């Protein structure tokens, strides 16, 4: 004879219900099914043993998070230990989720069961819950769900685990967009300034240099020998500087007024600052990638790695993809077209832009692409799931790809994978230990600073005879590690915004 | 090859799958569908002058409308007979005043003005959720604000205008909405069910979830749940028993997701509406085959389909399946 209890979690609190005693659990099923709809009959089978409401919305949120992860919260433990009979062998607890059942069994020792009749009973409880608990109405239960739903969702958005990936995705998209825009604007500068000084367009090929020159030269009539030095500095080519000087004297461009020149100059200075910003954004992206996915960036480079992550949506998504998907990420149009018409599927997608594919002979491109995609998959998984990501594995994998390439060219046998990985693991452990030591040192320093500051504030407070306590100052504590990142991000975004507000 | 879902149903063959036309009749694969620009001129949309399908006598996409047929202009069904609609449209333009009349489905209305539109009563007057047009109509001295419902953006509106028999979403019902995205269709469902109903909006993407939470701030009958619909047990604390499940998730294992949620949250005799995107389930198979296989999968999970309807001309290769879960025994039905 087992006492079957059922645990029901609701936004207002936990409820423990007991079922009438039966010999066999399965005998209950037909009875439960027929009476689930009828409240009176349901009362005969199920009665409420205990109800533990949540103390506050904060507590409710913690419990909701614990339930969604399948962890036993303190309140749940309290409820179960208080109200379930102490003879653990005689009690069978029915729960909705096998994960939490396993956790309860492990921590508290009660036998748990899910599925079958338990699921039916839980459906009935969910339907009639507001009737089972005294003082609870349908409306108040719904209000509690509303509040808890809002706080749960807000918490999810706020503590988004993919926040570093988001920075990378936005940066790489911005980089691509900036390239296009800088090119368009430079073309515009060329056209515009070309009315005044057409020969300059042919002499200078580089966009950034042209814009700087346009800004510097201004009215071509004022060009003389004195400015030759500066010209050389800008173009970094003596011959070109001389050619510019000569061309300016015999130019067929029209004369333009000072105010037109001012406009052209201000526009070209904007373009110059945009391309400088692009440089700094590139360095920012490289630093972020080496922080987040060092192996991946060591293997295929920061730009391609960032594009892969952006395409997949996050590093975790990229790690979950099979290697064959990584191989053709970015070539979806060709892939589905080939699948529908039963043609040949593409051999490479975004991976194509890494250096290796270009270096392979035509008939080896497919093989290298597959090999590279396999290694990328390994690298992204290592980055995503290791505690302290290092670039050691990335470098070793890169060596392997190089060896494979030279094998196709010269026939030289590459090293065995097992040996390479053994080396890599040893090195990686050392590197990881090094990094953890550094982080610990930083953490200690920060804690010391905090203590000093708190002590100083407390001293100040006590000297002023005010009532503030050291506990109140805890609100100043900022979670470690995030302030640096967030400062960098806001400075990047800020400089970007400033550029565009100026452009308007 | 009509797929019969409830052959014993009194209304005859409920399946509205265009099996004998559209795919087999000559039609170029890149035929343009009705564009959003012509949406304004649209209600009920399947007027022959807008659909570019060579009507060929406009084989009606559904059989004689069964028990629901009534004199009022329905959102879609009857108008698809070629030629008849033209005269009806001319007659309607003769009618003068701007008015709002109730649709066959409770909570949904039709706005009759210069252009006809499907509208719902705005629960938060003065605010647009996604920039949609709002119309104010004075009825018996009271000003009522309605929001227009775009069938190109919302699968539910497309289904209503396509002539679905029952949407089961009524005032005061509890709805579980899977795949809520930014809350555009959810806001219309919230208008329909009114302040006494509840819609639990489940959305996994954080980016869209942010917008959803903002919509839910103004409308207290929307409960946002930012969680994966594949694991209904994770959010079981936040949801009670519901009357209707609406699923628009566009995932290959859609049927399993709906089944899991139905087993946990849908009451006996509750209904479900699932929007199936054929391309998403299997991009190489034909749309009809995909819909048929999805219906089979649903039937195995005790979800009994009752109607199937494609969403042409608003979406390509989409279908909506409406059905009942664990139908109540006839003796117990009221």
């Amino acid at each position: 004879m087992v006492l079957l209890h059922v645990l029901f979690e609701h936004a207002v609190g936990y409820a423990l219900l007991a079922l009438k005693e039966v010999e066999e659990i399965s005998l209950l099923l037909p009875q439960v099914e027929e009476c689930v709809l009828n409240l009176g009959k349901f009362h005969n089978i199920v009665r409420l043993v205990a109800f533990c409401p949540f103390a506050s919305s904060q507590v409710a949120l913690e419990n909701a998070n614990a339930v969604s992860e399948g962890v036993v919260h303190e309140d749940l433990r309290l409820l179960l230990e208080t109200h379930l009979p102490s003879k653990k062998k005689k009690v069978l607890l029915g729960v909705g989720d096998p994960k939490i059942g396993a956790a309860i069994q492990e921590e508290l020792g009660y036998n748990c069961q899910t599925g079958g009749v338990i699921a039916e009973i839980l459906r009935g409880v969910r339907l009639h819950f507001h009737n089972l608990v005294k003082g609870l109405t349908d409306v108040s239960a719904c209000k509690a769900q509303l509040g808890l739903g809002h706080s749960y969702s807000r918490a999810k958005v706020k503590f988004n685990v993919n926040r570093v990936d988001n920075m990378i995705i936005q940066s790489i998209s911005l980089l691509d967009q900036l390239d296009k825009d800088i090119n368009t604007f430079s073309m515009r500068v060329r056209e515009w300034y070309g009315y005044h000084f057409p020969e300059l367009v042919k002499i200078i090929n580089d966009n950034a240099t042209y814009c700087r020159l346009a800004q510097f030269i201004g009215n071509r009539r004022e060009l003389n020998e004195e400015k030759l030095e500066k010209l050389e500095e800008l173009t970094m080519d003596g011959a070109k500087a001389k050619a510019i000087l000569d061309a300016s004297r015999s130019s067929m461009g029209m004369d333009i007024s000072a105010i037109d020149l001012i406009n052209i100059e201000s526009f070209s200075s904007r373009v110059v600052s945009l391309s400088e910003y692009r440089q700094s954004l590139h360095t920012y992206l490289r630093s972020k990638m080496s922080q987040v996915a060092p192996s991946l960036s060591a293997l295929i480079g920061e730009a391609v790695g960032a594009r892969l992550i952006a395409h997949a949506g996050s590093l975790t998504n990229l790690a979950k993809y099979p290697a064959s998907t990584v191989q053709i990420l970015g070539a979806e149009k060709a892939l589905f077209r080939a699948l529908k018409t039963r043609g040949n599927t593409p051999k490479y997608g975004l991976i194509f832009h890494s250096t290796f594919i270009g270096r392979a002979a035509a008939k080896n491109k497919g093989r290298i692409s597959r090999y590279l995609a396999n290694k990328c998959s390994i690298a992204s998984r290592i980055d995503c799931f290791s505690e302290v990501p290092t670039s050691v594995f990335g470098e070793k994998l890169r060596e392997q790809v190089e060896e494979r390439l030279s094998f196709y060219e010269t026939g030289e046998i590459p090293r065995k994978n097992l040996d390479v990985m053994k080396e890599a693991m040893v090195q990686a452990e050392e590197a990881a230990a090094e990094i953890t030591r550094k982080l610990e040192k930083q953490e200690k320093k920060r804690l010391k600073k905090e203590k000093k500051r708190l002590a100083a504030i407390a001293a100040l407070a006590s000297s002023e005879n005010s009532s503030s306590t050291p506990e109140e100052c805890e609100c100043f504590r900022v979670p470690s590690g995030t302030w640096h990142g967030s400062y960098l991000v806001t400075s990047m975004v800020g400089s970007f915004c400033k550029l565009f507000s100026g452009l308007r | 090859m009509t797929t019969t879902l409830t052959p014993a149903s009194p209304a005859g063959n409920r399946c509205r799958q265009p099996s004998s036309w559209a795919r087999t009749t000559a039609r170029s694969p890149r035929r343009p569908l009705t564009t959003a620009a012509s949406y304004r001129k649209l209600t009920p949309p399947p007027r022959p002058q807008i659909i570019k399908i060579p009507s060929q006598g406009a084989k009606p996409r559904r059989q004689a409308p069964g028990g629901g047929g009534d004199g009022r202009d329905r959102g879609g069904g009857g108008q698809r007979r070629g030629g008849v609609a033209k005269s009806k449209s001319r007659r309607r333009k003769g009618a003068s005043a701007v008015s709002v009349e109730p649709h066959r489905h409770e909570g949904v209305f039709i706005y009759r003005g210069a252009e006809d539109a499907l509208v719902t009563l705005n629960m938060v007057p003065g605010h647009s959720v996604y920039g949609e047009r709002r119309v104010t109509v004075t009825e018996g001295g009271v000003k009522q604000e309605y929001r227009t419902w775009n069938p190109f953006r919302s699968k539910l509106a497309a289904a209503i205008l396509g002539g679905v028999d029952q949407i089961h979403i009524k005032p005061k019902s509890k709805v579980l909405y899977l795949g809520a995205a930014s809350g555009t269709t959810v806001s219309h469902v919230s208008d329909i069910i009114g302040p006494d109903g509840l819609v639990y909006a489940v959305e996994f993407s954080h980016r869209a979830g942010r917008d959803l939470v903002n919509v839910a701030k103004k409308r207290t009958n929307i409960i946002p749940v930012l969680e994966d619909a594949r694991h209904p047990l994770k959010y079981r604390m936040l949801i009670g028993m519901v009357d209707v499940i609406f699923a628009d998730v566009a995932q290959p294992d859609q049927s399993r997701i709906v089944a899991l949620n139905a087993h946990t949250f849908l009451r006996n005799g509750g209904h479900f509406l699932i929007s199936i995107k054929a391309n998403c389930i299997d991009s190489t198979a034909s749309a009809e085959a995909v819909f048929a296989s999805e219906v089979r999968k649903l039937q195995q999970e005790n979800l009994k389909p009752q109607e199937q309807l494609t969403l042409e001309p608003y979406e390509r290769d989409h279908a909506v399946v409406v059905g009942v879960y664990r139908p109540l025994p006839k003796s117990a039905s009221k």
Side-chain angles (χ1 to χ4, degrees):
Chain A
M1 283 285 271
V2 234
L3 299 165
L4 180 60
H5 287 77
V6 161
L7 172 68
F8 183 72
E9 306 94 343
H10 192 272
V12 292
Y14 292 119
L16 195 61
L17 305 107
L19 283 98
K20 71 176 191 190
E21 302 195 1
V22 277
E23 299 284 339
E24 270 281 339
I25 306 298
S26 50
L27 287 177
L28 268 180
L29 186 58
Q31 299 175 15
V32 172
E33 269 179 0
E34 76 179 81
C35 75
V36 149
L37 295 166
N38 189 331
L39 180 59
K41 288 190 196 165
F42 198 65
H43 265 307
N44 291 341
I45 300 211
V46 169
R47 63 180 173 86
L48 184 70
V49 168
F51 174 62
C52 158
F54 295 132
S56 70
S57 55
Q58 188 73 2
V59 174
L61 179 60
E62 288 171 13
N63 276 289
N65 286 328
V67 161
S68 92
E69 284 163 33
V71 167
V72 179
H73 195 268
E74 276 307 310
D75 296 345
L76 178 61
R77 178 196 292 263
L78 202 63
L79 174 81
L80 290 176
E81 286 184 342
T82 323
H83 296 284
L84 280 178
S86 46
K87 285 229 162 158
K88 299 202 174 160
K89 288 214 187 87
K90 285 192 79 184
V91 169
L92 187 63
L93 182 65
V95 286
D97 188 7
K99 268 207 308 194
I100 210 171
I104 292 177
Q105 195 149 9
E106 216 182 286
E107 289 186 34
L108 302 171
Y110 297 104
N111 290 325
C112 291
Q113 203 184 8
T114 54
V117 67
I118 311 282
E120 282 303 314
I121 294 170
L122 282 172
R123 278 173 63 90
V125 176
R126 196 182 293 278
L127 187 60
H128 299 297
F129 191 61
H130 50 276
N131 291 323
L132 286 170
V133 178
K134 280 202 208 36
L136 188 67
T137 61
D138 193 21
V139 176
S140 55
C142 294
K143 286 268 178 295
Q145 285 175 338
L146 178 65
L148 185 57
H150 267 277
S151 49
Y152 185 73
S153 305
R154 293 174 81 96
K156 280 263 156 147
V157 174
K158 196 156 183 171
F159 297 109
N160 184 3
V161 288
N162 288 334
R163 55 179 176 273
V164 229
D165 295 358
N166 285 342
M167 300 299 140
I168 291 179
I169 293 168
Q170 296 293 334
S171 314
I172 191 73
S173 316
L174 178 59
L175 213 59
D176 291 335
Q177 210 172 9
L178 263 181
D179 284 335
K180 284 205 189 105
D181 289 342
I182 290 176
N183 193 33
T184 318
F185 290 158
S186 307
M187 290 290 125
R188 176 67 54 208
V189 174
R190 278 177 195 262
E191 285 278 327
W192 206 354
Y193 194 65
Y195 280 123
H196 179 57
F197 192 179
E199 289 74 10
L200 192 59
V201 177
K202 286 285 153 51
I203 300 175
I204 305 289
N205 285 326
D206 179 40
N207 282 334
T209 328
Y210 186 92
C211 294
R212 283 202 187 85
L213 276 173
Q215 196 182 0
F216 170 68
I217 295 175
N219 196 341
R220 63 176 155 77
R221 294 197 187 285
E222 290 159 16
L223 215 50
N224 48 31
E225 300 291 336
E226 296 159 3
K227 302 201 177 170
L228 190 60
E229 267 187 58
K230 192 77 192 331
L231 275 178
E232 258 194 69
E233 203 185 303
L234 281 175
T235 59
M236 283 186 264
D237 189 349
K240 279 201 183 146
K242 197 85 186 43
I244 293 174
L245 198 54
D246 295 333
S248 74
R249 292 204 181 105
S250 61
S251 171
M252 56 173 154
M254 66 186 193
D255 292 324
I256 51 179
S257 65
I259 187 144
D260 299 330
L261 269 174
I262 289 172
N263 263 318
I264 299 178
E265 268 170 62
S266 79
F267 182 49
S268 43
S269 66
R270 289 265 173 269
V271 180
V272 167
S273 61
L274 262 182
S275 42
E276 276 163 18
Y277 173 71
R278 190 221 177 265
Q279 291 295 93
S280 69
L281 186 65
H282 192 69
T283 24
Y284 165 71
L285 180 67
R286 289 177 75 136
S287 73
K288 261 269 164 313
M289 277 297 286
S290 58
Q291 233 182 330
V292 169
S295 299
L296 192 62
S297 31
L299 177 58
I300 45 172
E302 282 85 6
V304 184
R307 286 224 173 78
L308 279 176
I309 293 179
H311 201 279
S314 76
L315 184 57
T316 330
N317 288 355
L318 183 64
K320 286 187 198 168
Y321 283 161
S324 54
T325 303
V326 176
Q327 187 178 355
I328 42 119
L329 262 186
E332 281 83 8
K333 186 164 164 209
L335 175 71
F336 287 112
R337 187 181 60 211
L339 283 176
K340 283 196 196 164
T341 60
R342 290 157 215 253
N344 280 337
T345 52
K347 296 191 283 294
Y348 23 65
L350 289 166
I351 294 257
F352 186 74
H353 297 110
S354 66
T355 50
F356 307 109
I357 312 277
R359 286 196 274 162
K363 67 182 174 76
N364 294 324
K365 278 201 183 355
R367 296 193 188 118
I368 282 294
S369 160
R370 189 183 63 233
Y371 191 72
L372 183 61
N374 293 345
K375 299 302 176 191
C376 281
S377 206
I378 294 176
S380 67
R381 286 166 194 170
I382 292 175
D383 283 330
C384 182
F385 298 115
S386 57
E387 308 256 324
V388 187
T390 62
S391 60
V392 170
F393 280 106
E395 281 151 24
K396 292 286 174 197
L397 291 169
R398 194 190 175 93
E399 284 172 22
Q400 283 191 297
V401 183
E402 299 273 5
E403 283 173 17
R404 176 64 72 105
L405 263 175
S406 61
F407 166 70
Y408 283 134
E409 279 169 42
T410 61
E412 169 195 335
I413 309 284
R415 290 178 290 170
K416 279 194 156 330
N417 188 36
L418 205 56
D419 303 328
V420 180
M421 286 297 127
K422 274 192 197 152
E423 270 181 49
M425 276 172 61
V426 169
Q427 281 189 8
E429 276 200 45
E430 289 170 16
E434 179 71 34
I435 293 180
T436 29
R437 248 181 293 143
K438 274 194 196 158
L439 279 175
E440 275 172 14
K441 264 199 218 168
Q442 277 183 352
E443 191 58 32
K444 276 193 201 156
K445 269 194 199 166
R446 201 190 54 82
L447 281 171
K448 264 198 208 165
K449 272 193 195 164
E450 276 298 317
K451 275 195 192 155
K452 272 194 200 163
R453 202 157 52 83
L454 287 174
I457 291 174
L460 199 64
S462 63
S463 72
E464 283 180 4
N465 231 354
S466 74
S467 59
S468 74
T469 59
E471 279 92 320
E472 285 178 26
C473 307
E474 296 237 341
C475 62
F476 294 137
R477 204 162 19 110
V478 161
S480 71
T482 58
W483 74 264
H484 178 74
S486 59
Y487 169 70
L488 205 56
V489 166
T490 45
S491 71
M492 292 278 29
V493 177
S495 56
F496 182 53
C497 292
K498 248 187 284 196
L499 266 174
F500 272 87
S501 57
L503 203 58
R504 282 181 172 271
Chain B
M1 47 140 222
T2 44
T3 37
T4 48
L5 294 168
T6 53
S9 141
N13 179 6
R14 303 291 239 145
C15 165
R16 251 163 266 117
Q17 178 125 38
S19 50
S20 54
W21 65 281
R23 290 296 175 281
T24 51
T25 48
R27 189 178 97 188
S28 81
R30 289 292 136 201
R31 163 184 73 79
L33 297 173
T34 322
T35 56
S38 56
Y39 154 59
R40 288 296 171 94
K41 305 188 189 75
L42 221 57
T43 315
R47 282 189 223 158
Q49 60 258 37
I50 293 175
I51 297 183
K52 292 182 179 61
I53 305 168
S55 305
Q56 294 178 355
K59 298 189 184 98
R61 225 186 296 145
R62 56 181 292 216
Q63 313 294 327
D70 48 14
R72 260 189 252 130
D73 254 294
R74 276 210 283 178
Q79 297 305 326
R80 229 162 288 116
R81 291 143 224 275
V84 180
K86 276 192 184 134
S87 59
K88 272 197 182 167
S89 74
R90 266 186 223 129
R91 189 212 329 140
R92 207 178 308 116
K93 289 223 159 61
S96 56
V98 156
S99 70
V100 168
E101 59 183 52
H103 196 279
R104 180 171 58 93
H105 302 299
E106 230 187 306
V108 184
F109 301 88
I110 303 177
Y111 169 76
R112 304 245 178 248
E115 310 145 350
D116 294 351
L118 194 68
V119 295
T120 55
L121 183 63
N122 196 356
M123 211 175 87
V124 189
H127 290 96
S128 260
V129 171
Y130 53 100
E132 74 277 16
R133 200 165 69 104
R134 288 170 288 131
V135 291
T136 318
V137 168
T138 320
E139 284 171 10
V142 180
K143 273 193 182 294
Q144 303 264 45
E145 195 181 72
Y146 296 88
R147 295 188 301 129
T148 51
W149 202 353
N150 184 349
F152 288 94
R153 282 183 76 161
S154 168
K155 309 263 176 9
L156 188 54
I160 292 176
L161 287 173
V164 72
D165 197 49
Q166 282 281 1
I167 55 169
H168 301 292
I169 298 178
K170 323 180 160 49
K172 299 198 191 160
S173 47
K174 294 201 166 52
V175 181
L176 173 61
Y177 196 114
L178 302 174
S182 300
T184 51
T185 309
V186 177
S187 65
H188 285 287
V189 172
S190 143
D191 281 344
I192 295 177
I193 61 180
D196 293 327
L198 261 186
V199 52
Y200 301 93
V202 178
E203 171 57 41
F204 191 32
S205 147
H206 289 239
R207 185 68 193 75
R210 273 202 324 246
D211 300 333
L212 180 66
V213 173
N214 277 330
V215 171
K217 274 192 212 164
K218 289 228 181 76
R219 291 158 179 271
T220 50
N221 58 0
I222 301 181
I223 298 184
V225 178
L226 253 59
E227 192 53 80
D228 193 353
R230 287 196 177 90
H231 306 117
L233 296 172
K234 280 194 169 187
Y235 49 89
R236 64 185 187 275
M237 271 177 89
L238 307 170
I239 303 192
M241 280 312 236
V242 296
D243 304 317
V244 188
I245 289 186
F246 184 91
D248 187 11
V249 288
Q251 294 284 320
D253 55 343
Q254 210 174 350
S255 327
R256 190 181 62 97
I257 295 175
V258 174
L260 284 174
N261 279 282
H263 293 325
T264 321
F265 301 119
L266 186 56
R267 65 168 172 83
N268 289 13
H271 294 88
F272 60 90
L273 287 97
I274 305 182
S275 155
I276 305 176
K277 181 176 175 180
N279 224 12
C280 163
I281 311 273
D282 186 352
S283 55
T284 49
S286 80
E288 285 84 0
V290 170
F291 299 146
S293 79
E294 285 299 299
V295 163
R296 249 196 313 276
K297 283 189 220 164
L298 289 172
Q299 281 167 327
Q300 284 166 354
E301 297 275 357
N302 218 355
L303 290 151
K304 296 191 174 16
Q306 288 173 325
E307 288 182 60
Q308 181 181 334
L309 164 71
T310 58
L311 297 182
E312 307 254 306
Y314 307 105
E315 308 272 357
R316 201 197 293 278
D317 294 339
H318 277 69
V320 162
V321 173
V322 184
V324 67
Y325 177 63
R326 295 209 204 170
L328 296 168
K330 296 249 169 36
S331 54
S333 61
K334 9 162 181 59

